[in-house]
Amino acid sequence: MTGAPVRRDGPAIALRTLKERSRSGRRAWSLPELDVPGADVSDAHRRRQTADLPEVSETDIVRHFTRLSQINYGVDTGFYPLGSCSMKYNPKVAETVAALAGFQRLHPHQPEETLQGALELLWRLERALCEITGMARATFQPPAGASGELTGLMIMRAFHTKNGNPRTKIIIPDSAHGTNPASVTLSGYRAVQVPSDRRGLVDLAALQGLVDGDVAGLMLTNPNTLGLFEEEIEGVAAAMHRVGALLYYDGANLNAIMGRARPGDMGFDIVHMNTHKTFATPHGGGGPGAGPVAVSARLEPFLPTPVVGFDEESGRYFWDHDRPDSIGRVHGFNGNFGVLVRAFAYVFGHGRDGLREVGERAVLNANYLARRVNDAYPLAFPGQPMHEFVATARSFRKYGVRAMDIAKRLIDLGFHPSTVYFPLIVEEAMMVEPTETESKETLDAFAEAMLQAAKEAEEHPDLLHDAPLTTPVRRLDEARAARQPKLRW
Ligand SMILES: *Cc1c(COP(=O)(O)O)cnc(C)c1O
């Protein structure tokens, strides 16, 4: 099985700290006899008591840290079907390129003439991302998707303010990622929720009832967080444009449509991309990422400053600070450059056809998996999913089993669980995103594990309530673990 659990010598040893392994006099080093005169250290600089450090051998240390590293679960150790995250395998060639000394050892304060290669890389990446999204120009400063959202909303405010009225409201579907309403609030707008209809798409009639001259814009994910393509996107765009509102595209799901459809052609003016989801860079655990924001020509003047400029006459690239309508800086220096180098390697390594194929395979894999588990885990909405699907574990409630129990059991069966309880509008949601990089064998093994958990839910519900049984730390009170983390023994 692809996601086979790492070998562990049982919880007791795995959790033993170096301190607990300590034995008086044991050492991980040895030094030759002193054969030079000793130096005097004044009393003032001498310890009064010996340092209370673990006394361990080299094998103790190596095994301790190796074991800790194996308890970790990552894309390089197993299948990682978290929905709304695109936990794909990231090609190592992108890491190699980002580690080239010419990129890695740059300093952002270097003179421009010594940064020509880096600036050209950003310039060419910007052109590529604009072509993929159907936009005019982009900024690389935001270090993540959420930060891109805030940047996009600041641009939206600057645009409306320039036109005489910043307006007050942003419309967001009830299926949206939590960062959307958070960004709206941070940017000083009020979030207004539009419901999803029975198909899981934006309810167009309800939207029309919400649109007025106070609406600054709409934030939309497409395919949405249910994994469904917003079929009436043109109607949605028309409703917004009628009152002069802007459309913001949350590009976290761009991998589903790249090479086939472009937000710019759907009527969007602002797009953020999560390069760490769509274009390589391992992520999780909080970073690092990059959330470039691309905009249509009419919003270009408001982009953060500086942007990369190119002087055709001299053939030189430069930082363009001369932008009077810019919203200013949103990040120190120019974003997470190393992440952008990985994105460049990924985009140009795949090329136009390759990127299209990435999207097609992601969609194929998600649909294959959805079908395989459909009898036990029916889709929450009837439409055909794109690169991820949202199923419901509602039917196991009659055995007292919840989506969380299934997720924990999947850990025992050797897999990282899917996303659960998101989107919020689906009861007992299980949101699965296999990504394009997984083989049929892996998908089959995961499907078997999900089906086994479903069977156990009916026959041995307590097995699921007790899961996970194979991990050093068993089931946690997750709210407390986040609020009062225990960070030391
Ligand atoms: C991941 C995600 C975000 C936030 O992106 P980060 O890079 O994690 O800040 C926003 N919207 C959607 C739909 C997402 O999946």
Side-chain angles (χ1 to χ4, degrees):
M1 190 188 304
T2 319
V6 294
R7 221 194 116 249
R8 296 179 185 117
D9 294 338
I13 290 182
L15 284 182
R16 221 153 66 177
T17 63
L18 278 181
K19 203 76 217 258
E20 286 160 345
R21 289 165 196 268
S22 180
R23 293 293 176 272
S24 176
R26 200 166 277 172
R27 291 287 179 271
W29 47 268
S30 60
L31 294 175
E33 289 280 319
L34 195 64
D35 60 356
V36 293
D40 270 340
V41 177
S42 74
D43 267 357
H45 293 112
R46 279 177 194 272
R47 281 186 172 282
R48 304 273 169 268
Q49 289 155 340
T50 51
D52 189 19
L53 297 173
E55 298 181 76
V56 290
S57 69
E58 183 172 325
T59 44
D60 285 335
I61 294 177
V62 169
R63 287 183 185 159
H64 175 73
F65 285 108
T66 303
R67 201 170 270 132
L68 283 183
S69 78
Q70 289 173 335
I71 292 171
N72 203 1
Y73 190 102
V75 174
D76 285 352
T77 51
F79 181 50
Y80 215 129
L82 273 185
S84 207
C85 288
S86 293
M87 302 298 284
K88 66 170 84 180
Y89 173 78
N90 300 113
K92 296 296 171 271
V93 66
E95 302 297 317
T96 307
V97 173
L100 291 175
F103 290 130
Q104 200 184 42
R105 298 201 186 145
L106 291 176
H107 192 282
H109 280 159
Q110 272 178 235
E112 259 165 34
E113 54 276 20
T114 67
L115 290 173
Q116 287 298 306
L119 290 172
E120 181 181 349
L121 179 140
L122 292 178
W123 176 265
R124 290 180 57 195
L125 182 60
E126 186 183 338
R127 298 272 74 71
L129 297 186
C130 287
E131 190 179 328
I132 290 167
T133 53
M135 294 287 140
R137 288 227 60 182
T139 174
F140 289 117
Q141 282 181 27
S147 159
E149 292 171 23
L150 181 60
T151 304
L153 290 162
M154 288 164 71
I155 291 172
M156 210 185 257
R157 176 181 285 282
F159 169 81
H160 287 304
T161 303
K162 181 98 180 174
N163 290 329
N165 177 5
R167 307 188 178 200
T168 58
K169 300 184 282 193
I170 305 277
I171 299 176
I172 308 180
D174 57 2
S175 60
H177 194 271
T179 50
N180 290 189
S183 300
V184 166
T185 305
L186 271 179
S187 71
Y189 280 119
R190 189 158 64 80
V192 177
Q193 188 167 297
V194 60
S196 304
D197 63 17
R198 287 218 307 277
R199 298 167 303 167
L201 307 177
V202 168
D203 186 330
L204 193 51
L207 178 73
Q208 262 144 359
L210 292 172
V211 173
D212 60 33
D214 271 341
V215 174
L218 169 80
M219 287 183 96
L220 200 69
T221 313
N222 196 18
N224 65 25
T225 60
L226 295 161
L228 301 171
F229 191 83
E230 294 284 353
E231 288 166 21
E232 286 171 276
I233 189 63
E234 284 165 334
V236 169
M240 302 309 295
H241 289 154
R242 209 157 30 241
V243 294
L246 298 173
L247 269 86
Y248 181 102
Y249 182 97
D250 177 330
N253 292 343
L254 186 66
N255 56 329
I257 61 161
M258 55 182 176
R260 293 190 74 101
R262 309 193 309 167
D265 301 334
M266 300 175 205
F268 287 86
D269 275 291
I270 312 175
V271 180
H272 89 249
M273 283 150 274
N274 305 61
T275 61
H276 42 290
K277 293 179 181 172
T278 307
F279 305 122
T281 294
H283 63 117
V293 175
V295 298
S296 62
R298 62 178 170 156
L299 297 185
E300 190 188 321
F302 307 102
L303 282 172
T305 184
V307 293
V308 183
F310 178 60
D311 179 33
E312 302 222 357
E313 215 162 280
S314 62
R316 309 297 280 175
Y317 297 91
F318 63 98
W319 285 122
D320 181 2
H321 289 272
D322 184 18
R323 307 179 62 80
D325 284 330
S326 164
I327 61 166
R329 240 179 211 296
V330 296
H331 191 256
F333 299 116
N334 302 292
N336 281 332
F337 181 68
V339 175
L340 299 169
V341 176
R342 290 174 176 87
F344 182 93
Y346 189 87
V347 167
F348 286 91
H350 279 84
R352 192 187 305 259
D353 297 342
L355 289 181
R356 184 186 168 115
E357 206 177 319
V358 163
E360 289 170 353
R361 287 192 186 196
V363 172
L364 179 65
N365 277 1
N367 278 271
Y368 176 74
L369 200 48
R371 283 290 179 88
R372 283 233 34 190
V373 301
N374 186 61
D375 285 347
Y377 306 91
L379 291 175
F381 290 93
Q384 184 178 330
M386 298 282 290
H387 67 300
E388 60 191 353
F389 66 91
V390 181
T392 172
R394 193 166 41 209
S395 68
F396 302 111
R397 276 226 171 125
K398 56 179 177 286
Y399 313 118
V401 168
R402 315 230 6 220
M404 182 63 82
D405 301 314
I406 307 255
K408 297 299 183 193
R409 182 61 183 152
L410 284 172
I411 298 174
D412 286 340
L413 297 176
F415 287 102
H416 194 287
S418 70
T419 295
V420 288
Y421 301 115
F422 180 76
L424 302 176
I425 56 173
V426 174
E427 231 185 309
E428 302 297 329
M430 298 198 71
M431 184 187 205
V432 183
E433 180 178 0
T435 79
E436 75 282 2
T437 50
E438 299 299 340
S439 66
K440 179 171 178 297
E441 292 76 20
T442 301
L443 301 183
D444 283 335
F446 182 69
E448 291 303 328
M450 279 191 78
L451 295 174
Q452 179 178 332
K455 197 150 166 275
E456 290 170 348
E458 193 177 336
E459 294 167 1
H460 313 287
D462 278 341
L463 188 60
L464 278 70
H465 295 144
D466 291 341
L469 301 163
T470 55
T471 50
V473 178
R474 300 281 299 277
R475 202 179 294 205
L476 297 173
D477 175 339
E478 295 187 349
R480 246 180 74 211
R483 295 291 176 277
Q484 300 160 14
K486 237 171 144 182
L487 299 176
R488 59 171 79 191
W489 267 266

